[in-house]
Amino acid sequence: MQPTDHRALLGDELEKRPVLNKFTLYETKTRYYIIGSNQGDDHFRILKIDRTAALELHITDDQVVYSKQEIMELLSMIEDGNKSSGGLHKVASFFGIVGFVRFLEGYYMILITKRSAVALIGGHYIYHIDDTVVISVAGPGAKLERKPDESRYFQIFTQVDLSKNFYFSYTYDITQSLQANMSVPPGREHFEYNEMFVWNYYLLRAGFESLRSDWVLPIIYGFVDQSRISVYGHNIYVTLIARRSRFFAGARFLKRGVNDQGYVANDVETEQIVHDATTTSLYTPHGRYGNKPAYTSFVQHRGSIPLYWSQDAAGMAAKPPIELDIVDPYFSAAALHFDNMFRRYGAPIVVLNLIKTKEKTPRESILLPEFTESVSYLNQFLSPEKKIKYIAWDMARASKSNDQDVIGILEDLAEEVLGTTGFFHSGPEPYMNALRRAKAMGEDTEVNRILGRRQNGVVRTNCIDCLDRTNAAQFVIGKCALGYQLYALGVIAHPSVPFDSDAVNLLNVMYHDHGDTIALQYGGSHLVNTMETYRKISPWTSHSRDMIESIRRYYSNSFTDAEKQDAMNLFLGHYITENGGTALWELPTDYYLHNEHPRHKKPKRSYIRWWSDDAFVRAVDAYNPQSLRRFLNDGYFLEYYRPKVYTTFVRLFAFNMISTSTRLSKEEVLDHSPFTVRANLSQPARPNSGPRDPRYLMIYSLNIGGVKRWLTLTNKQIQAGIPGEKGKPSKEEDERDGGRDKDASAPWWTTSALATRLLDPQVPGSELKEYKRYIHQFNASTITLIPTPKTDSLAEDLATQTSHPDYTVFSDYVARGGAECVSSDGWATTPSADGYFDVDERDEAVYSSYVGSVGKVMSGWAAGGRSKADLPRYEAYAKWLSTGKFVTARTKMIKAVRPQP
């Protein structure tokens, strides 16, 4: 059989390479066969893995692209050729290859078996890994020497849970920013992955020579979330992507500061993408100016302070002392770090340092003068336009102060950052924006339309852990960027969005989930201080939550971080197993796994010209529209539209995306704009509240469920106390208000109001009434049930009937089928004109016969075989039916013995 060479048919310019996103694993006794296909199941590739070698991995990549008929014929031929050794068997279907790994015995293959879509950017899906499987490569014929430590290495390796916070995409390079992705032509062969964020780099290099292989599927570790802002039906997608660096990665107290290569701990790049979802593709249609103006992005960075410092957690202290391990007068490690930042983001770099400046016992403030001096030293050799902009601000002290507006200061800093670095916009701004700018500058000013923007530089935020304060600052900067991004898309008329609007509340929850995820990965617990803490609107219940999270973080740092660090070192390839070498768990420290060995250190750079030659090479201002030719291997069209598959809206990710309109549809609101402030008018304002602090809509404790939980919340108004009239309130008011104190005038957020609510919890009047009825339902009747005498007085009969405790229930039952009702003073409207219940004569005869035959029935039962000892009980029961009183010989005896008062 001669397979068709599609490359020869299509030519060099339109070489057709399928985007592989569906895979099937087959096995024989000597080989594994992986069949990869595109979404349309019309192009196939095959990968062959040898199973006979025990300690080596031999992979053959067949470069031929097969059709469906050809691949079926090839599999049939393989099955026929292996009939004598067991034939060909299907092992599993999966969605991607994570990589290969070997410990002391043979190789293992890690495959993605479950996935779920979490974001959609220009028709390109981003998936979350939901489940994986590890399969041994060695076949039954391979001779493996069993090692006792193999199972322990395997157990350590699997502690890196690939089903949590790992993401991938088939047609979009998630290791690069949107700006980098839209600056190159589409197509998988043109992807230049940022190896810093490829967490399976070590696993892929074990099986593939290059990351350009069609079988390579890079995964990132971090956070991805996407929501929709609905502006009267006009959908705007907001996407948050956090990429964690694989260099110098680890747990909180075990990875601090910087290493010899300039990589810092807890290095996370956060990208905020806002795009118009009116059209799908990133590349088409090209628009009037040959590019697509519907996409914007803004990138931020967080990372540990780039100095040699550490904290020893061996003493089981909640906050171990901070120590400066090495004092370098030339700050070589910091120079390497900022050189890498310049190459990644360009100039200028804005450093926002949020660590404390004053402490009773100096701890993090020890690092402040050293960090400040390092930036000053490095800046003296840079030109003015490239200098690092350094801002130091004690955010923790400001949040505890009553005379500092934390949010206001952060918003001013955010405006300065956006004015310095800018943001990315893929096309021309709306013409109306240019007209507004020209009008503001003067009537004679020429209208100059901005045809595209690029972000040059980045804001680098840090506190001591780069968790709580850093996340709050990043949210405020992201909120400011959201305003500029929406303005650039022509959605709003001014580049700002207010707090407590649906759009900002949605972004707040996304950043809250983002911060929780980053904190869990690095610190072992959720955020301790949330955005509401710094806005000073968090409820009192947050104190217990903060305490619990602090305990969780302490437990994780003290007992589980060491195992987590070993797993990361093994997964990322920092530690490579060797037969006869020192075991991973026997290493006294992993310092030399992340730093240069003293005997093999590279020569240091110049202390004056500390940056590399390409650090300040400016990227092109915009991509060339002519270079955006549509490659046939751009599989986003088949992956998104799936023209050959019957689909429904219910299964479409974009249809089920979280939106601001989802919450508004559940409430009775008149203004459906996502930029309207949803203030709680019944909530009392806080003292000293400025213009930025009106009345707040609380969003708190949303870490469980993320945005989905936010949608389930309602804008519950806090009921203000209704002052009663002068004098004692009436009984009806007491029951209606559930016993609420009318004189309580203290604001709901004060300590006295909290104590009142805890000591005297209130319930609604309806609940109080139901509770009273419940506890009194089995009380002994105080009215003797005797046949109602026939009198000539209707009022007397009504008084006897209505005095019964169950009269209300009975009257409701009788009136259930019509409009009859009973007033408190008797029958207002009745089925009969004379006011009596109409009882059928036959029913009355049956009832009288039943009551009168009770004694006879009891006597018959006693004569029919019952003992005489049971007779008193039946007599007491008969008396209860006629009189309503249950009296037995035992109760008579108790009354006789009980002393009289």
Side-chain angles (χ1 to χ4, degrees):
M1 180 184 64
Q2 295 294 331
T4 304
D5 191 349
H6 295 277
R7 291 176 296 175
L9 294 178
L10 295 175
D12 295 335
E13 184 173 355
L14 292 178
E15 179 182 1
K16 192 168 187 178
R17 309 298 299 173
V19 176
L20 306 178
N21 55 17
K22 293 189 293 184
F23 305 87
T24 306
L25 178 65
Y26 295 91
E27 70 169 346
T28 65
K29 191 175 182 179
T30 58
R31 278 187 176 181
Y32 275 126
Y33 295 91
I34 298 179
I35 308 300
S37 65
N38 64 346
Q39 188 66 44
D41 285 332
D42 50 8
H43 296 87
F44 296 82
R45 294 280 308 279
I46 186 169
L47 192 71
K48 308 169 188 177
I49 305 174
D50 183 35
R51 303 183 65 193
T52 58
L55 301 178
E56 296 181 359
L57 184 64
H58 299 291
I59 298 178
T60 303
D61 184 5
D62 190 345
Q63 297 293 328
V64 178
V65 179
Y66 296 91
S67 65
K68 189 170 186 178
Q69 181 180 356
E70 291 169 346
I71 201 67
M72 296 302 294
E73 293 176 358
L74 179 60
L75 290 175
S76 178
M77 183 182 66
I78 295 174
E79 185 176 10
D80 293 339
N82 290 272
K83 280 186 176 181
S84 59
S85 59
L88 181 71
H89 303 283
K90 179 180 176 180
V91 178
S93 297
F94 59 98
F95 297 103
I97 303 173
V98 177
F100 302 85
V101 66
R102 174 182 173 270
F103 308 124
L104 300 177
E105 298 178 6
Y107 275 89
Y108 298 92
M109 178 168 47
I110 304 101
L111 309 176
I112 301 171
T113 56
K114 292 183 181 180
R115 69 183 185 186
S116 59
V118 292
L120 179 65
I121 302 176
H124 301 269
Y125 277 109
I126 297 177
Y127 296 96
H128 177 266
I129 298 178
D130 293 336
D131 199 7
T132 57
V133 64
V134 181
I135 299 176
S136 177
V137 173
K143 296 181 180 180
L144 293 176
E145 183 181 354
R146 299 300 177 183
K147 303 292 183 181
D149 292 335
E150 178 74 10
S151 60
R152 184 167 182 179
Y153 278 117
F154 185 86
Q155 185 268 336
I156 293 174
F157 181 84
T158 53
Q159 284 188 6
V160 176
D161 192 352
L162 288 171
S163 64
K164 292 182 180 178
N165 311 130
F166 284 92
Y167 306 88
F168 68 93
S169 176
Y170 299 110
T171 57
Y172 181 80
D173 184 5
I174 56 176
T175 67
Q176 299 277 11
S177 65
L178 179 68
Q179 177 172 298
N181 273 288
M182 296 194 72
S183 299
V184 294
R188 190 177 181 83
E189 291 184 348
H190 296 270
F191 286 172
E192 296 292 338
Y193 298 115
N194 189 343
E195 298 178 359
M196 186 176 195
F197 303 117
V198 181
W199 269 64
N200 58 337
Y201 179 84
Y202 168 70
L203 306 177
L204 290 173
R205 291 306 298 265
F208 304 101
E209 296 181 358
S210 171
L211 294 185
R212 289 174 174 258
S213 172
D214 292 340
W215 301 92
V216 166
L217 190 64
I219 63 175
I220 67 168
Y221 184 43
F223 175 81
V224 177
D225 193 14
Q226 188 174 55
S227 300
R228 180 175 64 233
I229 298 176
S230 180
V231 187
Y232 302 107
H234 185 185
N235 292 327
I236 305 296
Y237 288 178
V238 180
T239 311
L240 210 59
I241 303 177
R243 309 174 182 93
R244 180 177 290 279
S245 171
R246 67 184 177 91
F247 300 123
F248 206 47
R252 182 187 177 201
F253 286 145
L254 302 179
K255 287 294 166 284
R256 292 295 213 185
V258 67
N259 67 358
D260 290 343
Q261 289 81 32
Y263 299 116
V264 295
N266 200 21
D267 188 316
V268 181
E269 175 185 286
T270 300
E271 182 179 16
Q272 178 177 305
I273 300 174
V274 180
H275 74 274
D276 191 337
T278 304
T279 55
T280 302
S281 172
L282 282 171
Y283 318 108
T284 56
H286 298 310
R288 180 179 177 184
Y289 291 92
N291 45 22
K292 191 168 179 63
Y295 291 84
T296 65
S297 76
F298 178 73
V299 177
Q300 302 184 64
H301 178 272
R302 72 170 71 187
S304 187
I305 298 175
L307 301 172
Y308 291 112
W309 63 281
S310 63
Q311 286 180 279
D312 187 7
M316 302 287 290
K319 294 183 178 181
I322 293 176
E323 297 180 2
L324 272 169
D325 301 325
I326 300 176
V327 178
D328 182 3
Y330 303 106
F331 304 101
S332 302
L336 291 173
H337 171 69
F338 284 109
D339 176 59
N340 178 264
M341 294 280 290
F342 281 129
R343 284 190 281 111
R344 287 161 60 185
Y345 305 111
I349 303 295
V350 180
V351 175
L352 181 56
N353 184 14
L354 303 177
I355 63 175
K356 298 176 181 178
T357 56
K358 294 181 180 180
E359 298 173 289
K360 292 182 179 179
T361 301
R363 197 171 146 268
E364 50 184 86
S365 58
I366 297 175
L367 304 176
L368 180 62
E370 193 75 8
F371 190 21
T372 306
E373 186 179 352
S374 68
V375 175
S376 300
Y377 173 82
L378 298 176
N379 269 340
Q380 64 180 327
F381 306 111
L382 296 174
S383 57
E385 68 276 6
K386 299 174 183 176
K387 288 183 180 296
I388 302 169
K389 295 188 176 182
Y390 179 76
I391 303 172
W393 177 50
D394 190 344
M395 182 175 174
R397 188 181 185 89
S399 65
K400 297 176 182 178
S401 174
N402 294 325
D403 58 349
Q404 292 194 51
D405 182 7
V406 176
I407 304 302
I409 296 174
L410 285 176
E411 286 190 316
D412 293 340
L413 291 174
E415 291 287 346
E416 181 180 349
V417 167
L418 266 295
T420 302
T421 66
F423 61 96
F424 171 72
H425 185 201
S426 61
E429 66 176 346
Y431 190 71
M432 180 58 68
N433 291 2
L435 288 178
R436 292 192 186 101
R437 186 169 55 253
K439 184 178 179 179
M441 298 176 64
E443 296 183 357
D444 299 332
T445 305
E446 183 181 358
V447 178
N448 293 319
R449 191 179 183 187
I450 300 175
L451 302 183
R453 297 175 182 268
R454 291 188 67 87
Q455 180 176 347
N456 292 287
V458 74
V459 55
R460 183 196 189 279
T461 310
N462 72 266
C463 52
I464 196 65
D465 295 320
C466 301
L467 296 179
D468 301 350
R469 285 168 280 177
T470 298
N471 198 74
Q474 284 196 337
F475 162 69
V476 176
I477 297 173
K479 170 189 169 295
C480 180
L482 177 67
Y484 280 94
Q485 290 173 291
L486 293 173
Y487 181 74
L489 295 176
V491 178
I492 56 179
H494 187 271
S496 64
V497 284
F499 275 105
D500 300 325
S501 61
D502 291 330
V504 173
N505 288 338
L506 200 68
L507 186 71
N508 183 20
V509 176
M510 294 177 69
Y511 269 94
H512 188 109
D513 292 345
H514 162 265
D516 275 344
T517 304
I518 298 302
L520 281 169
Q521 294 168 3
Y522 184 62
S525 71
H526 294 92
L527 292 173
V528 175
N529 297 311
T530 63
M531 189 62 203
E532 284 68 31
T533 305
Y534 296 107
R535 288 186 66 188
K536 300 180 181 179
I537 63 173
S538 58
W540 288 96
T541 54
S542 66
H543 293 179
S544 59
R545 173 197 172 275
D546 296 347
M547 184 179 300
I548 292 173
E549 294 302 331
S550 299
I551 294 173
R552 287 184 59 186
R553 188 172 294 183
Y554 168 73
Y555 173 81
S556 176
N557 300 153
S558 301
F559 300 104
T560 64
D561 279 0
E563 296 178 359
K564 183 193 299 185
Q565 188 66 57
D566 287 343
M568 286 189 179
N569 290 338
L570 190 62
F571 183 88
L572 295 172
H574 298 311
Y575 174 85
I576 300 176
T577 56
E578 294 181 1
N579 285 316
T582 304
L584 175 61
W585 50 88
E586 294 178 354
L587 291 176
T589 176
D590 66 345
Y591 176 84
Y592 295 109
L593 301 180
H594 297 270
N595 292 273
E596 295 179 343
H597 197 279
R599 286 182 286 181
H600 305 95
K601 280 195 173 185
K602 298 178 182 178
K604 293 186 178 294
R605 293 185 184 179
S606 170
Y607 295 136
I608 298 176
R609 187 180 173 84
W610 51 266
W611 60 91
S612 56
D613 295 335
D614 59 344
F616 301 106
V617 175
R618 184 180 176 83
V620 293
D621 289 334
Y623 53 81
N624 182 7
Q626 303 301 325
S627 66
L628 290 179
R629 34 189 198 114
R630 169 117 182 245
F631 283 84
L632 294 181
N633 62 342
D634 193 5
Y636 81 93
F637 184 87
L638 293 177
E639 184 183 10
Y640 178 69
Y641 290 103
R642 308 183 71 180
K644 296 183 180 181
V645 180
Y646 175 77
T647 57
T648 61
F649 282 115
V650 177
R651 301 183 61 183
L652 188 64
F653 172 77
F655 182 78
N656 296 301
M657 190 183 301
I658 301 301
S659 172
T660 54
S661 61
T662 308
R663 180 172 181 265
L664 289 176
S665 63
K666 299 179 180 179
E667 299 181 0
E668 296 180 0
V669 294
L670 298 178
D671 188 355
H672 285 259
S673 171
F675 310 112
T676 300
V677 176
R678 308 292 177 188
N680 194 343
L681 299 179
S682 66
Q683 178 175 320
R686 290 176 178 273
N688 302 325
S689 60
R692 301 182 186 273
D693 184 19
R695 293 178 171 91
Y696 298 104
L697 167 66
M698 288 190 182
I699 295 183
Y700 180 75
S701 189
L702 300 176
N703 53 304
I704 302 177
V707 179
K708 294 182 180 179
R709 171 164 179 121
W710 175 76
L711 290 173
T712 63
L713 296 180
T714 56
N715 190 6
K716 294 183 179 179
Q717 297 187 355
I718 300 173
Q719 309 241 349
I722 303 175
E725 298 178 355
K726 293 183 179 180
K728 185 177 180 180
S730 65
K731 180 179 179 181
E732 289 78 15
E733 287 179 343
D734 266 340
E735 288 190 356
R736 182 176 67 250
D737 296 334
R740 182 170 49 198
D741 185 7
K742 304 296 184 300
D743 297 329
S745 59
W748 66 272
W749 46 268
T750 60
T751 306
S752 58
L754 174 65
T756 302
R757 292 195 299 270
L758 294 177
L759 295 174
D760 186 19
Q762 308 298 332
V763 295
S766 59
E767 292 186 15
L768 180 63
K769 186 176 180 180
E770 180 67 22
Y771 177 71
K772 287 181 178 180
R773 180 182 170 188
Y774 172 76
I775 61 177
H776 294 303
Q777 63 178 325
F778 295 114
N779 284 5
S781 175
T782 58
I783 301 175
T784 302
L785 299 181
I786 58 175
T788 304
K790 294 184 178 181
T791 63
D792 296 333
S793 175
L794 176 61
E796 186 178 348
D797 290 348
L798 288 176
T800 304
Q801 294 176 5
T802 56
S803 61
H804 194 279
D806 290 336
Y807 177 75
T808 305
V809 179
F810 176 70
S811 63
D812 292 341
Y813 173 76
V814 173
R816 70 190 187 281
E820 301 91 347
C821 60
V822 182
S823 63
S824 59
D825 58 349
W827 286 94
T829 58
T830 64
S832 61
D834 56 357
Y836 272 105
F837 292 108
D838 291 334
V839 181
D840 190 88
E841 294 181 357
R842 292 171 295 178
D843 292 339
E844 185 176 3
V846 171
Y847 177 74
S848 300
S849 175
Y850 171 74
V851 174
S853 62
V854 170
K856 299 179 182 179
V857 173
M858 298 303 110
S859 302
W861 278 16
R866 303 296 190 280
S867 63
K868 293 185 178 181
D870 295 332
L871 186 58
R873 290 193 293 125
Y874 293 121
E875 291 179 348
Y877 177 66
K879 189 172 183 180
W880 176 80
L881 288 176
S882 60
T883 65
K885 294 183 178 181
F886 188 79
V887 181
T888 63
R890 187 166 182 267
T891 57
K892 293 179 180 179
M893 183 175 61
I894 293 175
K895 290 182 179 179
V897 174
R898 183 178 300 168
Q900 297 297 325

